[in-house]
Amino acid sequence: MTTNDSRIIRAELLSFDADPGEGDTPAEGSVRHIEDGALWIEDGRIHAIDEFARLEADLPPGIEVIDHRGKLLMPGFIDSHVHYVQLEIMASYGRQLLDWLNDYTFPEECRFAQYDHALALSNAFLDEVLRVGTTTAQVFCSSHPDSVDAFFTASSKRDLRMLAGKVHMNRHAPEALCDDTQGGVRDAERLISDWHGTRRLGYSLTPRFAPTSTREQLDATGGMLRNDPSLWLQTHLSENTGELDWVAELFPESRDYLEVYEQSGLVGPRSTFAHGIHLDQEMRQRLADRGANLAFCPSSNLFLGSGLFDRQAASDIGLNVTYASDVGGGTDLSGLATLKAAYQVGQLRGQPLTAWQGLYGLTLGNAKALSLDENIGRLATGMEADFVVLDPDATPLLARRHARCRTLGERLFALMMLGDDRSILETWAGGRCQHKREQA
Ligand code: GUN
Ligand code: ZN
C-alpha cells in the first residue's frame, strides 16, 4: 500500500546511473555514491536524494528522519528468473535437468492446482525474497491459472513490482500439468486482463521450454505477444546437453534450439531466456539483434551440473545478461549469493565478476534488460521507493573483514562474497519497510 508519509532515510547511498564496465574501477559517471546521504521518500516514490547536509536545510518541520548511518542503502535487488512454485523442492539431490524435472519438479507443481496452497506458498516466497533484499522478480507460476491469481493477489497486497505468468505446456509432462493450446490461450488472456498493468504487476507469457510445447502452442504464444507488445515473455533455452538433443529430435525443421523460438515469434526486447549456456556466437548475436536477454542463473547451473555460462561472449557483442536465482534449480534466493556463484563460475572461465558489474547487474542492469528502468533500479527522484538497507558489519566476521577494507570496491566485493540474509537489515518496497531483520 502506498502511504502519504514522507520520510528521510539517512545512510550511505550507492546507485548506478550506467553500466560501470568490466574494469576494476567503474566507468566515469556510472556510480552515484554519497557517504552521508539522504533519501527523501514520499507517496511510495523517491522525492529527492542528496548529501544529508544539503537536504537538511529544506526539510519540512517534524519530518521523520531514520538514522541508518553506518549502513549502505541500495536499490532493491531484481531476480530475472525464478519459480515460486519450486520453493519447497530446493536442494533435491542428485539429478540433472530432465530427471530433476520428472522426479521432483512436475510432481511438486501439481500441488498448485489448489488456490489455498498457491496463496500460502506465494506469501512464503515473498517473505523469503524480501528477507534477502529482492523487491522485484520475474516469476514462473505453475500451469494452473489459480497459481497466478494467488501470486498476483499476494504481490498486490504488498504493492510489489512483480512479473509473472502461467506456464504453458501441452506435452511431455503429467496430464495434471498439461493445458491444451486454446484453453491455455483463454486462461492467459483472462489473467492478462485481470492483472497486467494492475498496480505494479505485469504479465509474462510463460511457455515452459520447447520440449513441453507443440509447435502449435509456441505459435499461439507468439500470437499473444504480437497482439500486445507490452507483455513480457519468459522461457528456458539451451541449459543442458540432453535437452539440446531432445529439442533437435522434436523440431527437425529448426536449424538450432533458438530457431524453434524465432519461428514462433517469441524472441523480442521483452523476452528473457533462462540459461543460454550451450550457444554459439551466431545464436548470441541473433538474441542481441532482437534486444532479448539471457538470464544467467549460476547457482542453478552449478547445482544441476548444466555448465559454465560464458558471460564474456555475451558482453562482447552487447547481448543483455540478467542475474537470476532460478530457484528451485538454484540453491539460494539471495541476490548476493547469486553474484557469489557468478563470480565462482566466472573464475572457472577466466572471467571473474567485479562487485561493480555484479551490483549494477542486480539493480539497474536487470531493470534495463527487463524494460523496468523507468520505475525501478536506481535511486533517483521520481523512481519507486524500492530499496535495501545493507549492514556491512552484520556478523563479527563480516565486521572484521569490513574493517580491513580500504576502498569502496573492496567493501562491496567482500559483501558480495560473504554477505547473506543477515546482511539485509531492511527491505523497503513501495515506500514501506516490508522486512526488518530480527535483532541477533
Ligand atoms: N527447463 C524447463 N523447466 C525448467 C525448470 O523448471 N527449471 C529449470 N532450471 N530449467 C527448466
Ligand atoms: Zn527456470
Side-chain angles (χ1 to χ4, degrees):
M1 259 135 285
T2 308
T3 69
N4 290 317
D5 298 341
S6 269
R7 282 200 184 83
I8 307 290
I9 325 282
R10 182 175 185 179
E12 179 180 357
L13 306 179
L14 179 76
S15 175
F16 292 87
D17 289 326
D19 189 331
E22 295 287 338
D24 289 347
T25 51
E28 184 80 25
S30 61
V31 178
R32 183 142 198 223
H33 176 232
I34 309 179
E35 242 163 76
D36 184 7
L39 191 75
W40 182 343
I41 59 175
E42 202 161 283
D43 292 335
R45 288 191 181 263
I46 297 173
H47 177 70
I49 162 176
D50 211 333
E51 306 271 352
F52 181 77
R54 276 234 283 272
L55 220 57
E56 199 177 12
D58 295 335
L59 296 183
I63 190 167
E64 182 187 5
V65 177
I66 300 172
D67 190 349
H68 277 324
R69 272 176 290 177
K71 307 294 185 287
L72 177 68
L73 190 155
M74 290 191 63
F77 300 150
I78 301 169
D79 186 343
S80 68
H81 175 77
V82 57
H83 304 248
Y84 95 82
V85 291
Q86 296 174 9
L87 191 69
E88 292 188 344
I89 57 140
M90 287 172 74
S92 293
Y93 175 76
R95 304 283 187 276
Q96 292 217 351
L97 177 66
L98 300 176
D99 292 331
W100 176 82
L101 285 173
N102 285 319
D103 295 352
Y104 302 119
T105 313
F106 290 159
E108 177 65 11
E109 293 191 11
C110 290
R111 304 175 73 202
F112 288 79
Q114 303 284 335
Y115 181 82
D116 289 351
H117 176 72
L119 187 63
L121 266 289
S122 294
N123 278 311
F125 172 83
L126 294 176
D127 288 345
E128 292 298 331
V129 296
L130 289 165
R131 187 197 311 287
V132 291
T134 297
T135 48
T136 289
Q138 182 168 224
V139 177
F140 267 58
C141 302
S142 71
S143 48
H144 314 98
D146 270 359
S147 73
V148 186
D149 285 316
F151 182 74
F152 278 141
T153 298
S155 301
S156 155
K157 282 230 168 81
R158 302 177 196 224
D159 198 18
L160 298 175
R161 183 164 284 286
M162 288 284 163
L163 305 177
K166 171 208 130 48
V167 165
H168 294 266
M169 52 179 167
N170 63 0
R171 62 172 172 171
H172 302 140
E175 187 72 25
L177 284 184
C178 284
D179 54 10
D180 64 84
T181 299
Q182 282 319 312
V185 168
R186 276 196 301 278
D187 285 342
E189 284 175 347
R190 199 275 294 162
L191 290 164
I192 290 162
S193 119
D194 283 357
W195 295 110
H196 183 57
T198 302
R199 300 180 74 108
R200 303 169 73 201
L201 306 174
Y203 195 85
S204 193
L205 295 164
T206 310
R208 177 169 219 118
F209 70 153
T212 47
S213 287
T214 58
R215 170 63 71 189
E216 179 198 44
Q217 183 167 61
L218 296 176
D219 285 348
T221 313
M224 287 189 277
L225 189 60
R226 232 179 353 268
N227 285 340
D228 184 352
S230 74
L231 295 169
W232 284 264
L233 180 130
Q234 53 180 348
T235 188
H236 298 90
L237 170 70
S238 290
E239 175 178 5
N240 167 285
T241 51
E243 169 202 12
L244 254 65
D245 295 342
W246 196 21
V247 170
E249 237 174 73
L250 293 169
F251 296 91
E253 75 279 15
S254 304
R255 86 188 128 122
D256 57 38
Y257 194 161
L258 178 59
E259 198 179 71
V260 176
Y261 294 144
E262 289 170 332
Q263 286 167 331
S264 291
L266 302 181
V267 187
R270 287 182 173 231
S271 305
T272 298
F273 295 92
H275 309 296
I277 297 169
H278 310 284
L279 299 175
D280 62 30
Q281 202 58 346
E282 195 255 342
M283 290 160 92
R284 292 190 189 95
Q285 188 65 57
R286 279 149 56 200
L287 286 164
D289 290 346
R290 300 279 179 111
N293 76 87
L294 285 182
F296 176 20
C297 310
S299 79
S300 168
N301 299 161
L302 294 169
F303 182 71
L304 293 174
S306 304
L308 302 176
F309 182 79
D310 192 343
R311 204 172 59 81
Q312 186 69 50
S315 85
D316 281 350
I317 53 162
L319 168 56
N320 292 325
V321 171
T322 56
Y323 292 84
S325 69
D326 191 33
V327 159
T331 48
D332 213 313
L333 281 166
S334 155
L336 295 176
T338 295
L339 296 185
K340 172 180 175 172
Y343 177 82
Q344 291 165 336
V345 167
Q347 280 287 60
L348 292 171
R349 274 212 166 260
Q351 305 171 1
L353 179 75
T354 67
W356 303 113
Q357 189 56 230
L359 291 169
Y360 164 74
L362 218 50
T363 56
L364 184 60
N366 274 7
K368 272 181 183 282
L370 295 175
S371 304
L372 295 173
D373 54 312
E374 281 189 7
N375 290 305
I376 57 169
R378 274 188 317 139
L379 302 178
T381 300
M383 303 295 278
E384 292 168 355
D386 289 2
F387 56 88
V388 54
V389 181
L390 294 143
D391 178 359
D393 302 315
T395 68
L397 178 62
L398 278 165
R400 272 182 187 284
R401 178 66 186 95
H402 186 205
R404 293 290 294 275
C405 293
R406 285 157 300 140
T407 63
L408 177 60
E410 280 180 19
R411 287 170 56 210
L412 296 176
F413 184 69
L415 195 60
M416 167 172 129
M417 296 307 292
L418 302 177
D420 57 28
D421 58 343
R422 294 167 298 182
S423 310
I424 309 297
L425 183 67
E426 290 177 358
T427 306
W428 291 62
R432 283 193 304 135
C433 182
Q434 302 214 27
H435 164 72
K436 200 172 177 58
R437 187 188 68 196
E438 280 166 23
Q439 290 309 316

